[in-house]
Amino acid sequence: MKILAVGMNYIQHNKELDGALYKPKDPVIFSKVDSALLKNGKPFFIPESIGSIDYETELVVRICKLGKSIPHRFAHRYYDAVTVGIDFTARDLQRQLRAEGKPWEMCKSFDGSAVIGNWINMDELNNIQNLHFHLDINGNTVQNGFSGDMIFKVDELIAYISRFFTLKTGDLLFTGTPVGVGPVHINDHLTGWIDNKKVLEFNVK
């Protein structure tokens, strides 16, 4: 099982991160190791000594069959469910690594940094690019997203990524975060929603 993720896929988040509106020429792809996965409502334990930890709320799609070099027109056949996930990011460490031109794994792939909620089957949805999602912390909405605002749409991402990686059943794709990221703290209670359906709930320890 692979965890693949997309950086800088919402233009307003790119401004939030770097102070300028811009669109990457190609999708920015990175990976998380399998020990990053956190599911079933288990608590997230803030790691010690790596600085501030930010939430990044994202739609996550589940790959449902083997595929390599998938044509864009067939990409929708290769995922069968969607949920809300949190791409936890060690923000201070990320700034340091970016400034030094180093890879992101240390700030993106630590234990528990890839949280996923309950799956919604695609046959229950009309269009994956017409989904509203949001994150609440302690009952207050802190981040809103609309999948139609993605720079690179889900099917584009599937086609692009499969040029480099063979996709397998059970692989996960975090599709990028919209504007509104911020820090989490001990005792925070997080809930994630797709439209009006709660699909994610867990505590920070």
Side-chain angles (χ1 to χ4, degrees), residues 19-182:
L21 295 172
Y22 64 92
K23 297 181 179 180
K25 179 182 177 182
D26 296 306
V28 177
I29 307 299
F30 61 95
S31 63
K32 290 173 174 273
V33 299
D34 57 2
S35 59
L37 187 63
L38 186 68
K39 58 184 180 178
N40 300 326
K42 294 180 180 179
F44 170 71
F45 290 88
I46 295 179
E48 296 181 359
S49 305
I50 62 172
S52 177
I53 304 297
D54 280 7
Y55 59 82
E56 297 190 4
T57 311
E58 314 196 4
L59 289 180
V60 183
V61 297
R62 183 178 66 193
I63 302 301
C64 63
K65 63 179 179 178
L66 185 73
K68 172 69 174 175
S69 299
I70 301 165
H72 180 277
R73 66 184 183 278
F74 297 138
H76 66 280
R77 301 178 181 177
Y78 286 81
Y79 53 94
D80 64 351
V82 64
T83 191
V84 165
I86 306 294
D87 168 23
F88 278 123
T89 302
R91 189 67 70 200
D92 298 331
L93 181 56
Q94 184 188 41
R95 293 190 183 101
Q96 176 187 333
L97 293 173
R98 292 183 73 191
E100 296 173 357
K102 294 180 179 178
W104 290 7
E105 277 77 8
M106 297 296 289
C107 68
K108 286 283 194 177
S109 195
F110 53 88
D111 288 355
S113 61
V115 188
I116 60 170
N118 299 320
W119 296 105
I120 300 176
N121 291 328
M122 290 305 303
D123 57 15
E124 299 178 37
L125 304 170
N126 292 324
N127 183 351
I128 198 167
Q129 300 300 162
N130 191 34
L131 298 178
H132 293 270
F133 59 101
H134 68 274
L135 175 72
D136 291 355
I137 297 182
N138 304 325
N140 299 310
T141 298
V142 296
Q143 194 173 19
N144 282 289
F146 174 58
S147 60
D149 291 335
M150 291 179 185
I151 296 172
F152 300 101
K153 311 305 185 189
V154 173
D155 289 2
E156 293 178 81
L157 294 171
I158 296 292
Y160 180 81
I161 290 170
S162 68
R163 290 165 49 193
F164 304 94
F165 305 104
T166 297
L167 296 178
K168 297 182 178 181
T169 300
D171 287 350
L172 305 178
L173 175 59
F174 282 68
T175 58
T177 192
V179 69
V181 303

